[in-house]
């Protein structure tokens, strides 16, 4: 992806669709539209997937909670969500096998009745997923459960095991955008829409976008404009038509991050019901465990949602009954928050609001808005949206995304890491990381080492990250800031604030050389990012001594 070339395309072409928002739904819609032959622009005011889509629980699932509600309330709409989710789970894993894989989850239970209840539900869940190649779930006795996860509480009666999908959300969205780019879309990050122009009939004709890195503005001409901005959708809707009523009720969800030793297992824990009726997961991700999520109203959309002290306590307290030894605040190494785009409903509880999606067409302005939804069904959401685009353009075409491999996914073989190691002499952990991160394009990263042998060095001995990756991410993946690399191209910011702060200067030097930053600009970028990381520690109520941020 070449941002400079794509920026020039924004002013030099007239598009069929201009998609605003490059998260899961926007990037998915861009790929769908480009594969159908439409002329596509995809822009985002920040980085690709810099908001909600990179801050999920990293699960691809039909929704065990939806299934329970469907059965209890005989709610066919909830049941459809489960069936669609499970069907799309298979597609998500197939199209980017380097970024998604099956994950075992266990639910410890404290009585035979509870175990029977969970087993019946998960048997039904497995029935709906019977066409998948996932392992089958089963009811484990206490000894079997402890063998799989030694840190579970001995107070449990037994545990129920089932399987869902896990994925790298930020890189999956990036693969969608990258694939759209290669299919012909003009993809530009850090391009914020500041206004629209209308024709005499009130229909949108042009969007004014400002480059958030240079301040330059551009007029984007398009037949249709698609609003895929998730929790920020109402702002774009009202920019296009101030008479529209709000449709989104934002909900904040946070995760905290603990050491991998918390579980000592490749399995995750599903906590099916908390004291206030939510569902919480403890999930291994890399060398950490993510615990979340919360679900609370959130109105301050101008500020990034962050982990707060009461949320740390809530998640640790929720985990406590399920582990023999509960981690304490000193064990928390990072955290992250996201905002769910719940569609407004007459119900008052955010846990009960509909999570399904809706395609809204505003006839007064012509704006199409994709509202609500979830990661698992991003492809169906995009397909519904682009189906409507075809109707409005009087040029319908069939979607081709169900069987389209994303960048890095085609002919992927994880075992190819051994070839990388033999050919380039890189550490085994780095080669495995390259395959899981870049898929069949891993060798393109390694080839940079032939040009500059110093790029074969790791940034730190404890992690597999190579210097060559930073150069590749700038040249091929449109990484423009330090956070693009450390929070999204890699997921280090999400998992370890302290280590991230330590690596910022090294990454800054590599990016400065590649992007032509001045010495002062590079230093300022490093200072700003380290200050941001320190603010996360402070806002979470963690002690500076624990984080050692003050000394970085």
């Amino acid at each position: 992806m070449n941002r400079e070339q794509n920026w020039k395309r924004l002013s030099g072409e007239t598009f069929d669709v201009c998609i605003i928002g490059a998260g899961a739904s926007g990037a998915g819609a861009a790929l769908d539209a480009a594969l159908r032959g439409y002329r596509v622009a995809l822009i985002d005011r920040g980085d690709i997937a810099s908001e909600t889509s990179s801050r999920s629980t990293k699960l691809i699932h039909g929704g065990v909670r939806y299934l329970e509600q469907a059965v209890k309330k005989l709610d066919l709409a909830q049941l459809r969500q489960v069936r669609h989710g499970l069907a799309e789970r298979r597609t998500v894993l197939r199209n980017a096998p380097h970024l998604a894989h099956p994950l075992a989850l266990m639910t410890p239970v404290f009585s035979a009745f509870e175990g029977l209840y969970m087993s019946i539900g998960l048997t039904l869940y497995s029935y709906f997923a019977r066409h998948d190649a996932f392992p089958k779930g089963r009811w484990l006795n206490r000894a079997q459960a402890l063998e799989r996860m030694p840190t579970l509480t001995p107070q449990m009666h037994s545990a129920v095991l089932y399987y869902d999908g896990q994925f790298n959300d930020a890189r999956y969205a990036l693969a969608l955008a990258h694939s759209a780019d290669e299919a012909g879309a003009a993809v530009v990050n850090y391009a914020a829409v500041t206004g629209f122009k209308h024709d005499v009939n009130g229909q949108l004709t042009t969007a004014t976008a400002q480059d958030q890195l240079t301040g330059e503005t551009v007029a984007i001409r398009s037949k249709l404009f698609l609003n895929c901005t998730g929790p920020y959708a109402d702002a774009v809707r009202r920019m296009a038509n101030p008479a529209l009523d709000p449709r989104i009720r934002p909900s904040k969800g946070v995760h905290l991050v603990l050491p991998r030793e918390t579980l000592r297992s490749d399995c995750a824990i599903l906590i099916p019901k908390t004291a206030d009726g939510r569902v919480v997961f403890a999930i291994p991700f890399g060398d950490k465990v993510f615990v979340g999520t919360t679900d609370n109203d959130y109105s301050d959309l101008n500020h990034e949602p962050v982990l707060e002290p009461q949320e740390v306590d809530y998640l640790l307290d929720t985990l406590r009954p399920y582990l023999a030894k509960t981690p304490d605040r000193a064990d928390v190494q990072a955290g992250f928050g996201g905002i769910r785009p719940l569609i407004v409903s007459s119900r008052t509880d955010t846990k009960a609001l509909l999570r399904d999606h809706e395609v809204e067409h505003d006839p007064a302005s012509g704006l199409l808005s994709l509202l609500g939804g979830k990661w698992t069904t991003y492809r169906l959401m995009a397909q519904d949206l682009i189906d409507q685009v075809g109707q409005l353009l009087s040029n319908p075409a069939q979607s081709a995304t169900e069987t389209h491999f994303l960048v890095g996914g085609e002919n992927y073989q994880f075992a190819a890491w051994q070839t990388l190691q033999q050919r380039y002499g890189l550490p085994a952990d780095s080669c495995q990381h390259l395959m899981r991160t870049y898929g069949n394009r891993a060798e393109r990263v390694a080839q940079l080492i032939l040009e500059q042998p110093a790029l074969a060095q790791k940034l730190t001995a404890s992690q597999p990250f190579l210097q060559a990756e930073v150069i590749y991410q700038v040249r091929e993946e449109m990484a423009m800031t330090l956070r693009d690399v450390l929070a999204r191209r890699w997921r280090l910011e999400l998992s370890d604030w302290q280590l991230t702060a330590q690596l910022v200067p090294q990454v800054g030097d590599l990016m400065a050389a590649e992007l032509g930053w001045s010495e002062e600009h590079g230093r300022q970028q490093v200072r700003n990012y380290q200050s941001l990381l320190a603010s996360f520690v402070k806002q979470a109520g963690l002690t500076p001594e624990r984080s050692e941020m003050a000394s970085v």
Side-chain angles (χ1 to χ4, degrees):
M1 292 189 289
N2 187 304
R3 186 177 184 274
E4 184 177 352
Q5 291 178 7
N6 286 350
W7 176 261
K8 291 177 181 177
R9 287 183 60 191
L10 294 182
S11 59
E13 300 180 22
T14 298
F15 298 95
D16 293 316
V17 289
C18 174
I19 300 171
I20 305 164
S25 58
L31 176 59
D32 194 317
L35 290 177
R36 297 194 205 199
Y38 302 132
R39 293 167 295 178
V40 180
L42 173 65
I43 60 174
D44 196 291
R45 68 178 183 180
D47 187 26
I48 295 161
S50 59
E51 300 287 352
T52 301
S53 293
S54 63
R55 302 174 189 183
S56 74
T57 308
K58 326 299 180 217
L59 288 178
I60 294 294
H61 60 97
V64 173
R65 185 178 70 185
Y66 302 144
L67 178 62
E68 183 179 28
Q69 293 301 313
V71 173
K72 281 184 174 180
K73 300 179 180 179
L74 299 178
D75 187 338
L76 293 180
Q78 296 272 14
L79 190 58
R80 278 195 298 271
Q81 285 199 51
V82 174
R83 297 188 68 153
H84 287 160
L86 288 171
E88 288 304 300
R89 182 182 73 173
R90 180 168 59 250
T91 302
V92 168
L93 270 66
R94 175 202 174 272
N95 290 351
H98 57 305
L99 299 174
H101 57 88
L103 174 71
L105 296 100
M106 283 201 296
T107 298
V109 296
F110 296 88
S111 70
F113 175 79
E114 189 182 3
L116 179 62
Y117 177 79
M118 292 293 298
S119 292
I120 292 171
L122 294 175
T123 298
L124 186 58
Y125 192 69
S126 297
Y127 172 77
F128 286 128
R130 62 191 180 278
H131 300 301
D132 290 354
F134 278 46
K136 300 303 178 186
R138 62 186 190 275
W139 193 355
L140 307 176
N141 62 36
R142 183 190 298 135
Q144 291 170 324
L146 287 170
E147 184 177 357
R148 280 182 169 266
M149 189 178 292
T151 57
L152 288 174
T153 175
Q155 304 302 316
M156 67 180 172
H157 173 274
S158 53
V160 178
L161 174 72
Y162 78 105
Y163 289 82
D164 250 325
Q166 183 177 41
F167 77 132
N168 185 330
D169 52 7
R171 289 208 65 91
Y172 207 102
L174 178 66
L176 287 168
H178 201 160
S179 300
D181 180 278
E182 294 193 351
V187 180
V188 181
N189 55 0
Y190 295 102
V193 172
T194 57
F196 290 109
K197 291 183 180 178
H198 305 70
D199 65 15
V200 292
N201 297 314
Q203 298 294 294
L204 301 179
T205 61
T206 306
T208 302
Q210 183 180 52
D211 189 326
Q212 301 299 285
L213 303 176
T214 67
E216 183 182 354
T217 60
V218 66
I220 306 173
R221 299 180 300 277
S222 183
K223 295 178 182 177
L224 290 173
F225 291 88
L226 313 186
N227 174 16
C228 297
T229 56
Y232 309 96
D234 282 338
V236 176
R237 293 171 66 248
R238 287 179 153 178
M239 192 185 299
N241 180 0
L244 291 175
D245 292 328
R247 292 297 316 281
I248 297 298
R249 181 174 169 183
S251 171
K252 177 187 177 185
V254 299
H255 297 76
L256 58 78
V257 181
L258 298 167
R260 180 72 178 232
E261 293 72 32
T262 303
L263 302 184
R264 280 196 281 151
S265 175
D266 292 330
C267 293
I269 296 177
L270 162 65
I271 299 173
K273 191 167 185 179
T274 62
D276 53 354
R278 306 170 197 249
V279 173
V280 169
F281 296 90
I283 297 178
F285 191 87
D287 62 349
K288 306 295 180 184
V289 170
F290 292 170
V291 181
T293 179
T294 58
D295 197 350
N296 298 294
D297 281 333
Y298 192 74
S299 58
D300 191 4
L301 295 181
N302 292 321
H303 291 91
E304 177 177 346
V306 297
L307 182 66
E308 298 180 58
Q310 69 273 19
E311 294 164 335
V312 174
D313 294 337
Y314 169 82
L315 291 172
L316 290 176
D317 288 345
T318 299
L319 193 57
R320 182 167 288 112
Y322 295 87
L323 297 179
K325 180 183 182 300
T326 309
D328 57 31
R329 297 176 65 86
D331 296 306
V332 177
Q333 298 180 333
F336 56 95
I339 309 174
R340 299 182 188 88
L342 304 183
I343 302 175
V344 166
S345 160
S346 60
R347 290 174 281 187
T348 58
D349 185 351
T350 62
K351 297 185 294 298
L353 292 180
L354 291 175
R355 302 286 279 280
D356 214 350
H357 67 278
E358 176 186 331
V359 178
E360 176 195 72
H361 177 233
D362 172 31
S365 67
L367 180 71
L368 280 167
S369 296
L370 183 52
L371 308 175
K374 60 179 181 177
W375 241 119
T376 302
T377 53
Y378 85 86
R379 196 194 64 81
L380 286 181
M381 295 160 57
Q383 181 174 295
D384 288 350
L385 177 63
I386 305 305
D387 281 349
Q388 191 150 345
V389 165
Q391 293 174 16
L392 292 171
L393 293 176
S394 298
N395 181 24
Q398 287 293 112
S399 175
T401 54
E402 185 173 4
T403 57
H404 186 82
F405 285 105
L406 304 186
V407 162
E410 192 167 9
N411 299 320
Y412 168 73
Q413 295 291 333
F414 176 65
W417 73 265
Q418 297 174 10
T419 304
L420 275 184
Q421 186 181 34
Q422 293 166 5
R423 191 169 293 168
Y424 298 95
L426 297 168
D429 65 334
S430 293
C431 293
Q432 293 170 9
H433 157 73
L434 291 177
M435 291 304 301
R436 291 192 179 104
T437 304
Y438 307 95
N440 64 21
R441 304 204 174 182
E443 189 159 5
R444 297 192 187 188
V445 182
Q447 286 172 349
L448 295 173
I449 294 164
L450 302 179
E451 304 171 19
Q452 302 179 61
L455 295 179
Q457 296 178 19
K458 285 185 175 185
L459 271 75
T460 177
S462 66
Q463 295 291 333
F465 308 130
L466 301 177
Q467 293 187 15
E469 292 180 76
V470 180
I471 306 306
Y472 180 85
Q473 290 165 7
V474 171
R475 292 182 185 176
E476 304 291 337
E477 297 183 342
M478 216 180 283
M480 304 302 297
T481 72
L482 294 167
R483 206 175 183 194
D484 294 348
V485 171
L486 286 157
R488 288 177 286 276
R489 307 304 184 277
W490 295 329
R491 308 315 311 275
L492 191 60
E493 181 195 300
L494 270 65
S495 59
D496 194 325
W497 286 332
Q498 180 180 327
L499 182 57
T500 301
Q502 292 170 354
L503 298 187
V504 166
Q506 290 184 64
V507 175
D509 288 344
L510 290 164
M511 294 189 75
E514 191 65 23
L515 290 168
W517 290 348
S518 68
E519 186 175 343
E520 176 52 34
H521 181 75
R523 281 200 301 266
Q524 188 62 48
Q525 295 300 305
V526 169
R527 284 196 296 268
N528 289 347
Y529 192 19
Q530 288 183 329
S531 295
L532 179 67
L533 292 165
S535 74
F536 291 159
V537 176
K538 182 177 180 181
Q539 290 174 96
L542 306 179
T543 62
E545 292 79 11
R546 164 63 189 87
S547 69
E548 300 178 20
M549 285 295 196
S551 64
V552 173

